[in-house]
Amino acid sequence: MKKLILSTAALAFTASFAMAQDVVRMGTEGAYPPWNFLNDAGEVDGFERELGDELCKRAELNCEWVTNEWDSIIPNLVSGNYDVIIAGMSITDERDEVIDFTQNYTPPDPSAYAAMSDDVDVENGVIAAQTGTIQAGYIADSGATLIEFASPEETLAAVRNGEADAVLADKSFLVPFVDEDPDLVFTGPDVPLGGGVGMGVRESDTELRETFDAAIQSMKDDGSLNEMITKWDVSSTF
């Protein structure tokens, strides 16, 4: 078992936060495999479940998991329905104006277009994306026509039923669907977006952010974060 090292300052932050709050509620979508999904038992599973549990263990925090639909995941963090967002959320300047982020726990991962044909015009066509994502924002600013859906599965369904020419999403999310469906193909260039994926916290929760920052850094330092990224194949490694 790899040795865990946390700074004295980080441990102090952990202790002070733990005294103020018995349980840290981890908010995720539960609908974005392999990042997060509900398994056959109805429990949160995936890369971020394993990562979140390990971070809470290292930070000596008692954590529980809460699921929330993506389109309201930031407002419900701000209103106090949970304490942390860990849901494949890319760090962007726009989101950082509303909430704070830890350091990233995956590097920036390319977005990709999936379609029923490799000659789709992704620059001027009708492109599906999940509401509130960096992909939706990118399409809205491009020459393409954006149609938004509440869930990632609906974006794929729109492509399959002809409502959209293509879908733009994290490539790590799309790969299993393209691999399993002979009618789906990647088309167009990959699109680099965002500053990597991080945990979102309320702007007032500085100690909690710093506590998770220290835990993330400890996983980067001992190599266990890269091992977990490789296991779930969600991103390139650090």
Side-chain angles (χ1 to χ4, degrees):
M1 184 176 180
K2 291 186 174 70
K3 185 177 181 181
L4 169 64
I5 301 175
L6 284 176
S7 68
T8 302
L11 291 173
F13 280 130
T14 301
S16 63
F17 187 86
M19 287 188 295
Q21 183 166 330
D22 292 334
V23 176
V24 176
R25 297 159 297 171
M26 310 281 277
T28 195
E29 184 184 14
Y32 205 66
W35 295 81
N36 57 81
F37 57 92
L38 299 181
N39 59 26
D40 292 340
E43 299 174 341
V44 174
D45 206 337
F47 165 68
E48 285 167 320
R49 173 60 191 264
E50 185 174 354
L51 173 64
D53 285 350
E54 177 63 20
L55 293 174
C56 289
K57 178 181 177 181
R58 292 183 180 224
E60 299 182 358
L61 295 172
N62 181 21
C63 297
E64 66 179 27
W65 288 85
V66 178
T67 57
N68 193 96
E69 292 183 357
W70 177 261
D71 60 359
S72 61
I73 201 164
I74 289 179
N76 281 332
L77 169 72
V78 174
S79 65
N81 289 356
Y82 34 83
D83 307 297
V84 178
I85 293 173
I86 178 168
M89 180 171 284
S90 295
I91 300 168
T92 67
D93 291 340
E94 293 80 8
R95 290 170 179 159
D96 198 36
E97 292 178 359
V98 181
I99 61 175
D100 279 346
F101 283 97
T102 63
Q103 63 174 296
N104 60 6
Y105 54 80
T106 69
D109 193 39
S111 298
Y113 294 96
M116 302 291 282
S117 170
D118 60 7
D119 62 357
V120 167
D121 183 359
V122 296
E123 294 182 357
N124 300 292
V126 178
I127 311 298
Q130 188 177 10
T131 301
T133 60
I134 55 175
Q135 291 86 8
Y138 174 83
I139 297 166
D141 292 336
S142 73
T145 299
L146 168 66
I147 53 172
E148 297 180 83
F149 297 90
S151 71
E153 289 81 3
E154 289 174 292
T155 64
L156 286 163
V159 173
R160 291 187 174 113
N161 66 26
E163 189 176 355
D165 297 316
V167 53
L168 182 65
D170 291 327
K171 193 166 189 177
S172 57
F173 167 74
L174 291 172
V175 164
F177 294 97
V178 173
D179 287 347
E180 294 171 7
D181 188 340
D183 293 326
L184 281 175
V185 295
F186 286 114
T187 185
D190 287 351
V191 182
L193 297 173
V197 173
M199 303 173 80
V201 300
R202 287 180 290 274
E203 292 184 331
S204 59
D205 286 340
T206 303
E207 292 184 4
L208 181 60
R209 175 178 56 77
E210 292 179 344
T211 295
F212 277 121
D213 258 338
I216 293 168
Q217 188 62 53
S218 76
M219 291 188 69
K220 288 181 177 179
D221 292 343
D222 67 17
S224 59
L225 183 53
N226 277 343
E227 291 177 4
M228 199 175 291
I229 289 170
T230 300
K231 171 186 173 180
W232 290 97
D233 195 21
V234 294
S235 173
S236 59
T237 54
F238 288 99

